Amino acid sequence: MKKILGVAALAAVLSATGALAETIKIGATPGEHAQILEKVKEVAKPKGLDIEILEFSDYVVPNQALNDGELDANSFQHKPYLDNQIADRKFDIVDVAYTVNFPMGVYSKKVKSFDELADGATISIPNDPTNGGRALLILADKGAIKLKEGAGLKVTVNDVTENPKNFKFVELDAAQLPRSIDDVDAAAINTNYALEAGLDPMNGTILKEGEKAPYINLIAVRTADKDKPWVKTLIEAYHSDPVKQFILDKYKGAAVPSW
């Protein structure tokens, strides 16, 4: 007599063969994060995981959508930003894996080097606490400004204690920063938005951030889902050799695999 598989066992077999894959929705910002996820999707499918990628044009909505159950995961942010969102908005979400790092750069159409910026130059920076602080830390590392001691990663323009060249800071939504270049002397722009705008993160910056571990991007899920099998499969697909090689080949150092 032939043994009849139970529904759960049959589903597991079919999933493993790709005949019946589990489908998840992942949120990402346009450009690099979404492009990398397309490669992850390709790797995940034979493992029994179908990925639907939804693109969001800002940094706030993907976490809200994840928390509300409209997404199963998202991949677009670094840990300081996620930690700040959780603290401010009480989201019940958690990071489960690191992905890539996009060193932030300062761009200009007015000067060819940072040292050429005149006294009183205007610099646009992101208006969210973590990325705005990140931009200010780049300037502080350069020695262009000094920040209040002990302010940590979430520094703001109010924490600038010394500003010898009297730089003026304009805080804008991160996605709008590339459009601001014509109106300011320089702009600190996240690499994903810089690439989307046709800027060159490798050779087109007048100042560039080092590869700092706190700003590595990550995959986030709802806390209740963090131990589910599909999360493990998603991480395995993202951390695979084909995805790593895709990042190295396509972005040539503008994005750095960080797992």
Side-chain angles (χ1 to χ4, degrees), residues 104-155:
M104 180 182 276
V106 179
Y107 301 80
S108 177
K109 290 188 177 180
K110 307 288 178 61
V111 298
K112 293 184 178 179
S113 73
F114 186 85
D115 291 335
E116 292 178 27
L117 287 173
D119 188 280
T122 301
I123 302 175
S124 58
I125 65 173
N127 64 0
D128 65 88
T130 51
N131 285 302
R134 185 179 184 181
L136 293 172
L137 287 167
I138 296 173
L139 300 181
D141 287 344
K142 170 68 174 173
I145 60 173
K146 285 191 177 180
L147 299 168
K148 184 166 66 178
E149 190 174 347
L153 296 177
K154 293 195 291 184
V155 294

Side-chain angles (χ1 to χ4, degrees), residues 122-235:
T122 301
I123 302 175
S124 58
I125 65 173
N127 64 0
D128 65 88
T130 51
N131 285 302
R134 185 179 184 181
L136 293 172
L137 287 167
I138 296 173
L139 300 181
D141 287 344
K142 170 68 174 173
I145 60 173
K146 285 191 177 180
L147 299 168
K148 184 166 66 178
E149 190 174 347
L153 296 177
K154 293 195 291 184
V155 294
T156 71
V157 293
N158 295 325
D159 296 310
V160 177
T161 58
E162 293 184 30
N163 184 5
K165 294 190 75 170
N166 300 302
F167 290 137
K168 297 180 177 65
F169 298 107
V170 178
E171 297 175 276
L172 301 172
D173 182 82
Q176 303 302 317
L177 286 165
R179 301 180 189 175
S180 75
I181 292 183
D182 290 330
D183 301 318
V184 297
D185 297 295
I189 305 174
N190 292 78
T191 297
N192 57 316
Y193 288 125
L195 285 168
E196 187 181 343
L199 299 171
D200 181 358
M202 291 301 296
N203 304 302
T205 62
I206 60 171
L207 192 60
K208 191 173 182 180
E209 175 185 59
E211 295 176 10
K212 295 183 178 180
Y215 297 110
I216 296 174
N217 287 265
L218 50 83
I219 296 170
V221 302
R222 285 185 297 281
T223 304
D225 292 341
K226 67 183 179 66
D227 295 320
K228 289 188 176 179
W230 66 261
V231 175
K232 182 180 178 181
T233 303
L234 173 61
I235 295 169

Side-chain angles (χ1 to χ4, degrees), residues 1-148:
M1 183 176 178
K2 292 183 179 180
K3 185 177 180 180
I4 299 175
L5 290 174
V7 174
L10 178 61
V13 171
L14 291 174
S15 179
T17 61
L20 179 63
E22 184 170 7
T23 300
I24 62 169
K25 294 180 179 180
I26 302 183
T29 44
E32 297 66 47
H33 285 297
Q35 292 164 5
I36 294 169
L37 282 175
E38 289 289 352
K39 187 65 179 181
V40 174
K41 178 179 180 177
E42 179 184 311
V43 175
K45 189 170 182 60
K47 298 177 181 291
L49 185 65
D50 271 344
I51 296 174
E52 181 181 346
I53 303 164
L54 286 77
E55 296 188 8
F56 296 83
S57 61
D58 66 24
Y59 284 165
V60 177
V61 179
N63 281 330
Q64 186 69 60
L66 175 59
N67 187 75
D68 293 347
E70 297 168 14
L71 298 172
D72 298 293
N74 65 42
S75 177
F76 76 98
Q77 64 193 320
H78 50 64
K79 187 165 177 59
Y81 183 82
L82 174 63
D83 289 346
N84 188 69
Q85 285 267 290
I86 292 172
D88 285 353
R89 298 171 180 265
K90 311 304 178 189
F91 291 145
D92 193 13
I93 59 182
V94 64
D95 58 289
V96 292
Y98 285 119
T99 56
V100 292
N101 185 23
F102 297 95
M104 180 182 276
V106 179
Y107 301 80
S108 177
K109 290 188 177 180
K110 307 288 178 61
V111 298
K112 293 184 178 179
S113 73
F114 186 85
D115 291 335
E116 292 178 27
L117 287 173
D119 188 280
T122 301
I123 302 175
S124 58
I125 65 173
N127 64 0
D128 65 88
T130 51
N131 285 302
R134 185 179 184 181
L136 293 172
L137 287 167
I138 296 173
L139 300 181
D141 287 344
K142 170 68 174 173
I145 60 173
K146 285 191 177 180
L147 299 168
K148 184 166 66 178

